[in-house]
Amino acid sequence: MGLKIGIVGATGAVGVEAIKLLEESNLPISELRLFASSRSVGKTIGFLGEELQIAELSSHAFKGLDFVIFSAGSSVSQQFASNAKESGAIVIDNSSFFRLQPDVPLVVPEVNKEDLKSHKGIIANPNCTAAILSVALWPIHKVATIERVIVSTYQAVSGAGAKAILELETQLRHFVYGKPIVPEVFPEQIAFNVFSHNSPVAENGFNGEENKVMQEIRKIFHYPTLNICATCIRVPVFRAHSESVVIETAKKLDAQQTRNILSRAPGVLVVDDPQNGYFPTPIKASGKKDVLVGRIREDLSHPRGIAFFLSGDQLLKGAAWNAVQILQALL
């Protein structure tokens, strides 16, 4: 008997990547059921030589499925994830709705795969920025115990979905041809600009994305007292997030020790050639499952500080690939 898998949000940026990853995998898939909004119903997407028709989402749509990957936003997960669970499927949810619920594991397989043993039918996929960051932090934490993290992010527009990608394309074209630029998806012009992440600022002074990163890293690491400060910024990059990271550890590490640790870490690719100026970039990271880490150096302002820079494809490791990894780990 093959696996029967559903994807909710099949036409979105993450859903499209999930379909590609499942097609490339060696998983014994006997049925792939695709769901999207009503305006996409009836359209088809290719999978393993077949054209699969997109179906409308309903509370009874999940019967017979083994796994359902949700990538359609918190409101859809809130409304339909319990229906999928009640139908007997295991839910892997990409939205923020379940991430901080205490009885739902929040999993990055390279970090806390063991947490999958405690799932009750729903597993949360972390925020893309947190997932990418955790892959680089965890191997260092296991060796030297991280006491503090300061992270500044440079987040691609694709993290906001397909419409945001189109907005950047349109604004670039309008800029070149001298046409008016009118922001629609983002609150400000994104072409040739950077601005604070477009999530509401909470009472603590941090925006929604920053709070997600800080809270989710603590949960993934089972480290509620971790000192972490995040600043999240949108940049005019199509794909792959980057992050500037400074950590303070209990045990001193030098740059070469850190480089050696990361070079052996699953899900990490060290890209660090100072002599030739070859370091991580979003373009290098786009389309890759690994997180690229470089600019590894000792923080001269702290006796146990290490600084580095990373880039990771937030549609892959930050979302679709992490979800498929969870599915593989469950099997």
Side-chain angles (χ1 to χ4, degrees):
M1 294 292 289
L3 297 173
K4 296 181 179 181
I5 300 172
I7 297 181
V8 177
T11 58
V14 175
V16 168
E17 293 296 339
I19 294 168
K20 290 179 185 176
L21 290 166
L22 291 175
E23 191 168 40
E24 295 167 2
S25 75
N26 295 318
L27 295 173
I29 300 171
S30 63
E31 181 183 356
L32 184 64
R33 214 177 292 173
L34 307 180
F35 306 98
S37 63
S38 56
R39 63 180 176 273
S40 295
V41 171
K43 295 179 181 178
T44 61
I45 294 178
F47 180 75
L48 295 176
E50 296 183 46
E51 288 297 317
L52 304 183
Q53 196 169 71
I54 295 170
E56 188 168 6
L57 199 57
S58 73
S59 59
H60 306 291
F62 309 105
K63 186 176 180 180
L65 293 177
D66 302 305
F67 299 92
V68 181
I69 297 173
F70 275 76
S71 298
S74 293
S75 61
V76 173
S77 296
Q78 180 179 9
Q79 184 176 356
F80 292 106
S82 59
N83 299 135
K85 174 185 171 182
E86 288 163 7
S87 75
I90 295 174
V91 171
I92 303 169
D93 183 49
N94 272 308
S95 82
S96 61
F97 184 72
F98 294 102
R99 289 177 188 157
L100 297 179
Q101 295 188 16
D103 60 340
V104 175
L106 181 65
V107 176
V108 176
E110 293 91 342
V111 178
N112 61 332
K113 185 168 64 174
E114 292 298 309
D115 288 358
L116 292 173
K117 294 178 180 178
S118 66
H119 83 79
K120 299 176 181 177
I122 297 177
I123 298 151
N125 219 25
N127 169 275
C128 52
T129 309
I132 292 166
L133 178 61
S134 69
V135 173
L137 291 182
W138 182 247
I140 301 171
H141 180 61
K142 287 196 297 181
V143 173
T145 307
I146 295 173
E147 295 181 332
R148 189 182 187 205
V149 180
I150 301 172
V151 56
S152 298
T153 73
Y154 311 83
Q155 297 186 217
V157 297
S158 50
K163 290 182 179 179
I165 298 172
L166 180 60
E167 175 147 298
L168 176 55
E169 289 177 352
T170 301
Q171 289 186 5
L172 291 171
R173 195 175 296 111
H174 284 194
F175 182 91
V176 169
Y177 290 103
K179 295 181 179 180
I181 293 175
V182 181
E184 294 180 0
V185 176
F186 293 117
E188 298 191 44
Q189 175 181 324
I190 183 62
F192 305 105
N193 195 22
V194 299
F195 49 79
S196 180
H197 189 277
N198 52 298
S199 51
V201 176
E203 289 184 5
N204 66 357
F206 289 83
N207 64 39
E209 187 78 356
E210 293 159 352
N211 279 314
K212 287 177 186 177
V213 171
M214 296 185 293
Q215 293 166 344
E216 291 178 28
I217 289 289
R218 293 182 183 120
K219 181 175 179 178
I220 295 164
F221 281 26
H222 297 278
Y223 190 175
T225 60
L226 175 63
N227 294 307
I228 178 169
C229 179
T231 302
C232 294
I233 303 295
R234 271 297 175 209
V235 296
V237 169
F238 283 113
R239 181 163 174 161
H241 292 346
S242 297
E243 306 179 27
S244 173
V245 186
V246 179
I247 59 173
E248 298 168 8
T249 57
K251 175 185 175 182
K252 178 174 173 55
L253 295 175
D254 62 29
Q256 189 56 49
Q257 288 173 316
T258 306
R259 199 174 287 112
N260 292 340
I261 291 166
L262 290 170
S263 67
R264 298 190 297 268
V268 172
L269 179 63
V270 173
V271 178
D272 200 22
D273 184 357
Q275 289 185 331
N276 295 299
Y278 192 74
F279 303 114
T281 66
I283 289 176
K284 294 186 187 84
S286 292
K288 290 185 173 62
K289 297 172 183 174
D290 289 339
V291 176
L292 279 52
V293 183
R295 294 297 320 283
I296 301 165
R297 61 206 186 276
E298 293 175 47
D299 176 3
L300 302 180
S301 70
H302 192 280
R304 299 181 310 282
I306 291 288
F308 56 88
F309 185 81
L310 63 84
S311 294
D313 191 320
Q314 91 292 346
L315 294 178
L316 291 178
K317 185 55 198 170
W321 172 234
N322 199 74
V324 172
Q325 282 182 297
I326 289 172
L327 194 158
Q328 292 172 330
L330 289 167
L331 295 172

